[in-house]
Amino acid sequence: MARVHQRVANQRADFLHKLTTSLIKTHDAVCTEDLSVKGLARTKLAKSVLDASMGTLRWQLAYKGQWYGTHVVAVDRFCPSTQLCHDCGVKNEHLALADRLWVCPHCGVLHDRDLNAALNIRDEGLRLLAACPAEGLNACGRAVRPPMAAGPVEARIPRL
Ligand SMILES: [Zn+2]
């Protein structure tokens, strides 16, 4: 039984390493949502969150981003990425977790919930990245790297 568990763990680690390395090496910037993985692990979504190794995924993206010079931006978890219509920007506050597809009440566009959220996270991440005045500085002009770290761009840029 222990060997079976070890095999599953190895497969999961192998998948995550291949995925994060591929994302970092093939993109100039990767935008993620700054989810509270520990908080989600205490909800009814715990099994899904822990099975997906979200914390490990974000950690690997952050350090591999520094290795390869890829911007990794964490968008604030309170950014309403799911509720905002990607086409017109109107916020749909009546969206329930079960609504996988929804129609914007303002412009009438049909949205896939996850795709719409991903597009909003990408746009917000790129906006934050553009607001960063220089590499290694955050939007307020403060250094974002630990003093001894020599390498490309910081993993997290605070929300303005
Ligand atoms: Zn709309």
Side-chain angles (χ1 to χ4, degrees):
M1 196 62 174
R3 287 175 56 191
V4 172
H5 281 293
Q6 187 61 54
R7 180 173 161 77
V8 171
N10 290 344
Q11 287 173 326
R12 183 172 293 168
D14 180 60
F15 170 76
L16 282 175
H17 275 295
K18 286 176 179 167
L19 175 67
T20 53
T21 300
S22 170
L23 285 171
I24 290 295
K25 281 187 163 181
T26 58
H27 296 82
D28 294 326
V30 176
C31 305
T32 65
E33 189 169 10
D34 185 22
L35 290 174
S36 170
V37 177
K38 283 183 181 173
L40 286 172
R42 289 191 291 262
T43 68
K44 64 182 179 181
L45 301 172
K47 188 172 184 323
S48 303
V49 170
L50 296 174
D51 272 355
S53 304
M54 287 187 194
T56 306
L57 180 87
R58 285 186 34 213
W59 171 67
Q60 288 183 5
L61 285 173
Y63 78 75
K64 289 180 184 181
Q66 289 192 338
W67 284 357
Y68 296 104
T70 299
H71 299 274
V72 179
V73 184
V75 171
D76 190 294
R77 73 188 61 156
F78 298 109
C79 172
S81 57
T82 305
Q83 297 175 333
L84 284 182
C85 169
H86 181 256
D87 288 311
C88 71
V90 163
K91 186 175 176 182
N92 181 0
E93 296 189 10
H94 304 292
L95 208 58
L97 188 59
D99 297 334
R100 306 316 301 173
L101 294 172
W102 59 279
V103 176
C104 174
H106 184 255
C107 68
V109 171
L110 174 67
H111 291 295
D112 175 283
R113 178 194 187 95
D114 294 332
L115 178 60
N116 182 63
L119 292 170
N120 285 328
I121 289 169
R122 179 199 63 188
D123 290 352
E124 177 66 4
L126 293 178
R127 187 189 71 76
L128 291 171
L129 201 54
C132 184
E135 287 194 4
L137 299 179
N138 69 14
C140 301
R142 283 185 236 127
V144 291
R145 267 182 243 140
M148 67 281 274
V153 191
E154 159 58 23
R156 296 167 54 107
I157 297 175
R159 188 178 166 86
L160 297 176

